[in-house]
Amino acid sequence: MNVAAGQQKRFLSIHEYLSMELLQKQGIKTPRGGVAKTGAEAYEIAQKLGTEDMVIKAQVLAGGRGKGTFDSGLKGGVRTIFSPREAQMFAEQMLGHKLVTKQTGAGGKICNSVYICERQYVRREYYFAVLMDRKSQGPVMVASSQGGVDIESVAAENPEAILQLPIDINKGVDRAAVRDLAERMGFTPKCVDQATDTMINLYDLFMQKDATMVEINPMAESSDHEVICMDAKINFDDNADFRQKEVHALRDVTQEDPREVAAAKYNLNYIGLDGSIGCLVNGAGLAMSTMDIIKLHGGEPANFLDVGGGATADQVTEAFKIISSDPRVTTIFTNIFGGIMSCRVIAQGIIAAASTLQLQIPLVVRLQGTEVDEAKKLIAESGLRIICSDDLDDAASKSVKLSQMVSMARDAKINVSFELPI
């Protein structure tokens, strides 16, 4: 389980072909190519490229595509192709199918489009990225002479091969320093100035679009001494969506957890996990503590869900819908400390959710703080069998035990339901 403490951080990631389009608009050279959503479109794009050397890439937001496997049986989400007919054939085996890679999990991710581009034969491949760096508290250029491979492996096996250039965000880019970086990366003298321009343009893109990462792997030097960005991965700061509407309109929600997409619509902070106890909590710190105490009692949380300090009863109801939509959830544990948040509002949401969703799993509630007595009265008068506890340790213990009961019944294929209405 890996959840960022303090606050939830989400970075928009867009498909490779969209990243390439942004690079091209910035004046950065990339291989010629186009995106297709049908086999016929793939054939047409390959024909227009006018070359026999091409690559077709499944547009799935996950690493390891080349070694992935489709549920159609096709192996490899990145394939070399040599004719429009092959482009159509592979496109039809990729489109509409799920690609399973080392990063997608067993469920895989759906492929709705393919990117077909010319295949470049290059002299050398490099790695280049612009990232936000905690240590220098600003952007940093990260580069290596070893591109086209897993950069994490390079960093682990040969850390000296990783070069860094911190950028003072107030002063901007020092061209001489970037040129020195290009020389240390190993670009030939004929390419150094072009590589310098390319890296500065990538930094400008990073800043202009509120990116959190611009990664080019590989950045290549062609046989005729041109610098080409062969592949691109760009992430953007979700906190800047109010001023980057055009970029955030490129989001592909089919690549995201549908529960997280639904939560975002109601301004709920949700991250799906692998456990069986659904958690509804206010405040990231309390949410982390709740997950810890569940694990302390031998349980596993099914999610991180922070309703925040200003949630409404409708938001609480939606939160219950999202939690209960996970078939692995066997118990829901609500833990609220009312400061800014009113326990009465939470109680109204709990009652509405329990009444309308026909929950058939145990619901454990712990409420403390603002208007807690009013909240307890509402729950008591609701006529619903909600298990209440004032003590966090006791509430967590009950949640784990009830979850184990439901899990045991499911394993034994015994249909046990917990009806909340009396």
Side-chain angles (χ1 to χ4, degrees):
M1 182 176 65
N2 183 15
V3 181
Q7 67 173 341
Q8 182 189 37
K9 293 185 179 180
R10 294 292 176 77
F11 300 136
L12 167 67
S13 183
I14 63 174
H15 286 296
E16 175 190 2
Y17 77 92
L18 295 170
S19 296
M20 292 303 228
E21 288 176 5
L22 289 178
L23 263 57
Q24 291 159 12
K25 289 177 182 177
Q26 200 73 18
I28 297 166
K29 187 173 179 58
T30 68
R32 293 180 302 122
V35 65
K37 296 185 178 181
T38 67
E41 288 179 1
Y43 183 96
E44 185 178 343
I45 290 168
Q47 201 169 40
K48 285 182 179 177
L49 287 175
T51 176
E52 293 181 348
D53 290 315
M54 295 171 285
V55 180
I56 184 169
K57 303 180 181 182
Q59 295 301 280
V60 171
L61 292 177
R65 290 176 298 168
K67 296 181 180 179
T69 303
F70 284 92
D71 58 12
S72 64
L74 178 67
K75 295 186 182 298
V78 178
R79 303 291 296 252
T80 54
I81 52 176
F82 305 98
S83 70
R85 185 61 59 194
E86 280 193 9
Q88 182 174 1
M89 178 188 72
F90 282 116
E92 289 173 349
Q93 293 180 63
M94 293 179 179
L95 293 168
H97 294 281
K98 288 186 176 181
L99 177 64
V100 179
T101 78
K102 62 182 181 181
Q103 291 187 5
T104 64
K109 286 190 176 182
I110 192 74
C111 175
N112 293 318
S113 58
V114 293
Y115 183 53
I116 299 151
C117 62
E118 61 182 347
R119 186 181 181 189
Q120 295 276 353
Y121 294 90
V122 298
R123 298 179 72 241
R124 290 196 65 181
E125 294 182 336
Y126 310 89
Y127 174 89
F128 179 81
V130 186
L131 323 157
M132 292 302 295
D133 178 45
R134 285 179 180 271
K135 186 176 180 181
S136 63
Q137 298 184 345
V140 61
M141 290 183 177
V142 180
S144 176
S145 61
Q146 299 180 35
V149 295
D150 180 14
I151 195 64
E152 287 83 4
S153 298
V154 174
E157 296 168 7
N158 186 16
E160 294 79 15
I162 306 296
L163 308 174
Q164 295 189 34
L165 176 63
I167 307 294
D168 186 325
I169 203 166
N170 296 310
K171 295 179 181 178
V173 176
D174 180 346
R175 183 178 176 82
V178 178
R179 194 178 195 282
D180 176 67
L181 179 64
E183 290 175 343
R184 288 189 290 146
M185 288 170 68
F187 280 101
T188 60
K190 290 182 179 180
C191 278
V192 167
D193 286 333
Q194 189 183 157
T196 302
D197 291 337
T198 299
M199 289 189 280
I200 291 174
N201 284 339
L202 288 167
Y203 174 80
D204 290 341
L205 174 66
F206 176 89
M207 294 298 295
Q208 291 166 12
K209 300 298 183 183
D210 288 304
T212 56
M213 180 184 75
V214 174
E215 182 183 59
I216 310 298
N217 190 21
M219 178 183 286
E221 180 178 338
S222 69
S223 56
D224 53 353
H225 302 290
E226 282 197 303
V227 176
I228 306 172
C229 292
M230 305 290 287
D231 198 352
K233 181 179 180 182
I234 308 179
N235 292 346
F236 304 89
D237 188 348
D238 269 5
N239 293 314
D241 62 352
F242 70 96
R243 64 184 180 198
Q244 298 290 350
K245 299 292 186 185
E246 186 178 343
V247 166
H248 284 263
L250 304 176
R251 182 187 297 270
D252 182 357
V253 295
T254 68
Q255 300 293 300
E256 301 176 22
D257 186 327
R259 297 168 299 176
E260 295 183 13
V261 174
K265 290 180 181 178
Y266 292 93
N267 293 317
L268 300 169
N269 295 317
Y270 177 93
I271 300 174
L273 302 173
D274 298 326
S276 60
I277 300 176
C279 302
L280 190 153
V281 191
N282 68 317
L286 186 59
M288 298 293 287
S289 299
T290 301
M291 292 190 292
D292 285 343
I293 199 165
I294 286 171
K295 290 179 73 69
L296 183 66
H297 283 280
E300 289 292 337
N303 63 273
F304 170 99
L305 196 154
D306 170 18
V307 297
T312 65
D314 287 342
Q315 284 177 299
V316 174
T317 302
E318 291 301 325
F320 270 97
K321 286 182 182 178
I322 293 165
I323 292 172
S324 61
S325 69
D326 185 345
R328 294 173 298 187
V329 171
T330 53
T331 297
I332 298 177
F333 180 21
T334 300
N335 184 22
I336 299 295
F337 181 80
I340 300 172
M341 167 59 67
S342 165
C343 291
R344 177 178 52 80
V345 172
I346 293 292
Q348 290 171 344
I350 291 171
I351 293 166
S355 301
T356 59
L357 298 179
Q358 297 181 337
L359 294 175
Q360 294 188 335
I361 55 176
L363 175 55
V364 179
V365 175
R366 174 186 178 261
L367 301 173
Q368 291 292 335
T370 305
E371 297 188 310
V372 66
D373 292 333
E374 293 91 331
K376 289 179 179 178
K377 184 179 179 182
L378 284 173
I379 291 173
E381 294 175 351
S382 69
L384 300 175
R385 288 185 178 175
I386 297 172
I387 302 162
C388 295
S389 177
D390 291 338
D391 182 75
L392 175 57
D393 189 68
D394 177 62
S397 176
K398 285 177 179 175
S399 297
V400 172
K401 289 176 181 176
L402 287 165
S403 174
Q404 291 170 344
M405 288 171 57
V406 177
S407 296
M408 287 173 63
R410 289 181 180 178
D411 291 343
K413 297 183 179 179
I414 299 172
N415 185 20
V416 176
S417 64
F418 288 76
E419 296 183 2
L420 295 178
I422 293 176

